[in-house]
Amino acid sequence: MNKIEFWKDGEYTYPLAFDFRPNLRPYLLDDGETHPCILVLPGGGYAVVVPPEGELVAKRFNELGYSCFVMTYTTNQLMREPVMEQAMKDLARAVRFVRKNASEYRIDPSKLYVCGFSAAGHVCGSLCDYWSEIEDTDPDYKDISCRPDAAILSYPVITSGEYAHKDSFRFLLGADIYDREDDEAKYLLDRYSLEKHVRADNPPCFVWQTEEDNLVPVKNSYLYADALKEAGVKYEHKTFPHGFHGLSVPNDDWAQGRHGEPYTAEQSFALVKAIKEGLIEAPEEGAESLLGFLGPFPYDPDFHGFPDVCVWPEMADRFLKSLGE
């Protein structure tokens, strides 16, 4: 599968990237027609980018008539170099890149959507809140909008406050962000508490989560939905009564760990390589511990999924189609 890098030489400078660059993997419909497009961003707490929320999701939306790209963006697995704005800027450039090349990919540039899971929901929500502030100095992209036409936020990290998934914010803003009381820390926690910064020109948004989410409190979804409503942004908010965090598309492939090639772990592979080459100090657990999130994935033969949760892509599809009505 072709890897598409959208940062040019010298543009991407995240210190712990080594030979990794953010990239897209295409899942394009090949029927000669022009299609809407979804950029799929797997989650991982701003520490990693997990495979189960990539290819499975793209293929499901292919079945619904969308061309897709799975995006691997900047993370901070060692919690040594905060991500800050880099992941949001990665996504902004990716949106511009796909729009610029829409005709080549047979994509409708006015129907370009983003879909983020967990912390990647925060990446997508950040772009929704701040798209108008993200300038691109590259002449190839500076006049192309990075505003998504809509967003799908799946069990998203939203708030840095009472209901925060604090580790996501530690990887994003610094390991000590909740221990500091200085003005900069207060500013960053406020800026990235996304429910506080929704505006009337935010893109329409489909938000979903399970009430039983065991990692990111479901209140995150409610806070963002309430902010969208208050700002007059078109939205749909769905919570399912049962299910745990990270369900992605909970079909049999998901349950058996058939998530496709682990290309979303490229930055982790680059870190392991750098450690083995002596370019960076290893964590106490050792270099290979950085790849533990790749599995193996236990399979329960009695797993029958969550049939109600499995319908969220169809619900999102109906929402996206409604935007043109």
Side-chain angles (χ1 to χ4, degrees):
M1 183 187 304
N2 294 332
K3 177 170 70 172
I4 302 168
E5 294 185 350
F6 43 82
W7 289 117
K8 300 177 183 178
D9 289 345
E11 289 184 323
Y12 181 69
T13 57
Y14 181 73
L16 297 185
F18 298 102
D19 56 3
F20 163 77
R21 282 189 191 175
N23 60 78
L24 300 168
R25 302 287 179 132
Y27 294 80
L28 303 176
L29 298 176
D30 188 20
D31 56 7
E33 301 295 323
T34 297
H35 294 277
C37 179
I38 298 178
L39 302 187
V40 177
L41 281 71
Y46 280 113
V48 296
V49 182
V50 298
E53 294 161 351
E55 181 172 298
L56 292 178
V57 178
K59 288 185 173 180
R60 183 69 192 97
F61 277 111
N62 284 164
E63 294 171 356
L64 294 170
Y66 297 84
S67 282
C68 293
F69 294 89
V70 174
M71 180 176 167
T72 304
Y73 52 92
T74 305
T75 55
N76 169 28
Q77 191 167 4
L78 296 177
M79 206 181 281
R80 297 178 189 175
E81 190 68 40
V83 173
M84 296 296 186
E85 293 188 342
Q86 187 61 59
M88 178 171 61
K89 289 181 176 179
D90 294 343
L91 180 54
R93 168 58 72 88
V95 169
R96 289 181 164 116
F97 174 89
V98 173
R99 278 215 172 97
K100 180 178 184 294
N101 297 284
S103 59
E104 175 185 347
Y105 298 126
R106 293 194 178 94
I107 286 167
D108 184 343
S110 69
K111 295 181 179 179
L112 180 53
Y113 312 123
V114 296
C115 175
F117 294 79
S118 192
H122 191 273
V123 179
C124 294
S126 297
L127 185 61
C128 290
D129 282 9
Y130 294 119
W131 65 269
S132 64
E133 299 181 13
I134 305 173
E135 297 181 354
D136 198 314
T137 59
D138 189 307
D140 288 338
Y141 300 105
K142 68 182 183 66
D143 296 325
I144 299 173
S145 174
C146 67
R147 181 184 185 272
D149 295 297
I152 301 167
L153 305 186
S154 305
Y155 39 91
V157 171
I158 294 293
T159 184
S160 67
E162 179 182 358
Y163 299 98
H165 179 251
K166 289 188 175 181
D167 275 350
S168 288
F169 290 95
R170 292 184 177 106
F171 284 104
L172 174 65
L173 303 176
D176 62 348
I177 192 66
Y178 282 103
D179 301 320
R180 293 163 51 189
E181 296 184 357
D182 57 278
D183 289 343
E184 181 189 28
K186 293 175 183 177
Y187 166 78
L188 289 171
L189 287 170
D190 177 85
R191 177 173 172 80
Y192 288 99
S193 200
L194 300 182
E195 79 281 7
K196 298 181 179 181
H197 303 285
V198 174
R199 304 173 306 188
D201 60 357
N202 272 47
C205 197
F206 179 88
V207 187
W208 75 273
Q209 195 169 5
T210 63
E211 293 284 347
E212 295 177 340
D213 194 310
N214 56 316
L215 190 63
V216 175
V218 72
K219 186 70 172 178
N220 281 255
S221 292
Y222 281 95
L223 286 169
Y224 202 69
D226 287 347
L228 292 165
K229 181 178 181 179
E230 184 70 22
V233 177
K234 186 169 184 178
Y235 77 100
E236 185 172 329
H237 178 211
K238 174 65 179 176
T239 63
F240 299 96
H242 303 296
F244 45 83
H245 189 81
L247 281 177
S248 180
V249 180
N251 54 23
D252 198 55
D253 283 336
W254 173 86
Q256 295 198 45
R258 296 193 294 257
H259 304 146
E261 293 298 317
Y263 55 79
T264 62
E266 284 184 348
Q267 190 177 1
S268 296
F269 291 135
L271 278 173
V272 171
K273 180 173 177 285
I275 289 169
K276 290 182 175 179
E277 292 176 352
L279 301 178
I280 187 173
E281 183 181 352
E284 290 183 6
E285 300 84 358
E288 296 301 333
S289 68
L290 299 180
L291 303 179
F293 69 97
L294 294 177
F297 298 93
Y299 176 60
D300 180 356
D302 296 323
F303 175 82
H304 299 294
F306 296 89
D308 55 342
V309 179
C310 281
V311 305
W312 75 260
E314 288 87 346
M315 298 176 70
D317 172 46
R318 289 196 297 270
F319 174 76
L320 295 177
K321 285 184 169 62
S322 76
L323 301 178
E325 296 174 354

